[in-house]
Amino acid sequence: MHIDTNVTESDDSSVDLQDPKVIQELVREINRNIAQGCLQLIQETQKNHADIFGFGENIRAKNPQYWQSKVKNKAGWEQIYPSLKVQIEVSSRVHRMGMKDE
């Protein structure tokens, strides 16, 4: 997952948005929060046996041999989905809108 975000100003004068280290920390925090939120949402759908993201359709399309031998049908996927291990990778970029880059 990739996120682009804009920062236009800061209400906190102690935050120096011109400092690349501050921006890097902001990016790390954005990535961590988004990954955590996505994983929580996926875990909730797994509890409900509801693959709203279409992971099963993707697996069926990309690996039909696995689908035919292990999953077989929608009911089979509903049983497998709750134990599916999901890894989220997030990258983000912060744009400093209206700020002068130095």
Side-chain angles (χ1 to χ4, degrees), residues 7 9-19 22-23 26 99:
V7 175
E9 62 183 81
S10 171
D11 291 338
D12 186 349
S13 62
S14 69
V15 176
D16 181 6
L17 293 174
Q18 297 297 332
D19 184 348
V22 171
I23 298 298
L26 186 59
M99 296 185 181

Side-chain angles (χ1 to χ4, degrees), residues 4-101:
D4 277 323
T5 188
N6 297 321
V7 175
T8 55
E9 62 183 81
S10 171
D11 291 338
D12 186 349
S13 62
S14 69
V15 176
D16 181 6
L17 293 174
Q18 297 297 332
D19 184 348
K21 290 180 183 176
V22 171
I23 298 298
Q24 288 174 351
E25 181 58 33
L26 186 59
V27 166
R28 277 193 293 276
E29 191 66 19
I30 289 168
N31 292 351
R32 187 184 66 76
N33 286 334
I34 290 173
Q36 183 180 26
C38 288
L39 283 173
Q40 287 174 345
L41 177 59
I42 290 168
Q43 289 168 352
E44 188 64 32
T45 66
Q46 288 176 308
K47 287 179 192 174
N48 294 317
H49 298 259
D51 179 10
I52 64 172
F53 303 104
F55 293 131
E57 287 299 314
N58 195 3
I59 291 170
R60 188 174 63 83
K62 295 201 176 185
N63 197 340
Q65 294 84 13
Y66 175 81
W67 185 271
Q68 288 300 320
S69 67
K70 303 288 185 191
V71 181
K72 298 187 178 24
N73 55 36
K74 183 180 176 188
W77 179 245
E78 287 174 354
Q79 295 304 309
I80 292 172
Y81 180 62
S83 62
L84 183 72
K85 293 188 188 306
V86 178
Q87 183 177 356
I88 304 289
E89 292 182 21
V90 179
S91 67
S92 58
R93 184 172 49 185
V94 174
H95 302 277
R96 296 174 287 190
M97 303 292 290
M99 296 185 181
K100 189 169 117 181
D101 283 333

